[in-house]
Amino acid sequence: MLVGYKRAQCKKVLVINRKGGAGKSTFAIAMASFYAHQKVKTEIIDLDPQGTSHFWGSKTEGVRTTRFLPSSNVPFSLALRLEADTKITVIDSPSNFSRFEMEKYISMVDKIIFPVQPSPIDVHSMLGFIKDLINSPAFKHNNVELAFVITRCKENNQGTEFVHKVLQHMKYPLLGTMSEHQAYQEMFSEKNCFLARYPELDKPLWKNMKKWLNVDMTQTTNVEDEAQKKVADTTSTTYSSILKKHY
C-alpha cells in the first residue's frame, strides 16, 4: 500500500554534495544495497537528472525506486508516495541546486550524509556548502542530523588524514571511509550487493552507519519478486494526474 511521503514512518536519509564527482550516487546505491541485502524494505529516490540511482534501483531486486526531477512543478511532498512498510528511504540529491532547492530537500528528511573525497579541493568546496547547510532554517527547525563519509579512498588512505583533521573541528560524526574498491562498480553493473562477494569490505563504515541511522531491521515478510516490483517515475507527473488518482 502506498502512502504520502510525509505520512511514511520510515527513516528518510539524504545523500548530498553540491560538487560533482564526490561519489554521492555510488554511496547512495551502496547504502540502499546494504539494507536491501538484509531484506529490509528499501526505497531510493533519485533527484539527479543523470538518473544513476534510479537505473540501478529499477534493475535491482528488493528495492523500489522513484525518479523525481527538482524542475517539476509538482511539490516534492505531493508527488512522492512510498510503500507503507518501507523501513528506509535513501534520497540521492543532484550535484547542482539552488539554496531554495536545498531547503526543500532538507525539510523532507531525518538525517543527512555528506560524502567527501580526500582532497584539499573537495574539502574546501565542502566547507562553504556545509556552512550554508547548517545555517539553513530547515536544518535548524527540523533538528536534522548530519554525518560525513570519506569516499573514493585509495589503498594507502592518502589524503584521509587531512579530512580527519578538518572534521575534528566540527561537532558532526565521521562514519568512516569508503574505499575505491571494484565491488562498488560491480554492484552497479551486475546488480549484486557488494556484501555478497566481499562481506568484510569497509566493515567499520557500514557498522557505524547502521548504528547512526538506527533503522528498524525487521525483515519484510512478503518480499515481492522482480516481476511484481513497482517502479515509479514521476518525471512527467502533473497536478491533473495527481487529482485524478485521489479524487
Side-chain angles (χ1 to χ4, degrees), residues 34-50:
F34 173 84
Y35 285 103
H37 180 70
Q38 299 173 76
K39 307 301 181 185
V40 175
K41 192 67 172 291
T42 304
E43 302 205 23
I44 190 164
I45 297 173
D46 195 348
L47 305 181
D48 195 328
Q50 293 184 9

Side-chain angles (χ1 to χ4, degrees), residues 12-17 22 24 27 31 35 91 106 109-117 126 129-130 133-134 139 143-151 163 167-168 170-177 204-214:
K12 304 178 181 84
V13 185
L14 175 66
V15 181
I16 191 170
N17 189 328
K24 174 181 58 62
F27 180 78
M31 176 164 49
Y35 285 103
I91 303 171
I106 297 173
V109 300
D110 309 302
K111 301 198 176 192
I112 296 173
I113 295 180
F114 191 97
V116 56
Q117 285 195 80
M126 172 193 76
F129 175 72
I130 291 299
L133 189 151
I134 62 179
F139 186 84
N143 296 316
V144 179
E145 296 182 50
L146 170 66
F148 294 88
V149 171
I150 303 177
T151 57
V163 182
L167 294 180
Q168 282 177 355
M170 299 184 181
K171 62 180 180 180
Y172 306 104
L174 171 63
L175 300 181
T177 59
L205 165 63
W206 304 114
K207 180 180 178 181
N208 291 339
M209 183 201 70
K210 180 180 176 180
K211 181 179 180 180
W212 185 70
L213 291 179
N214 192 29

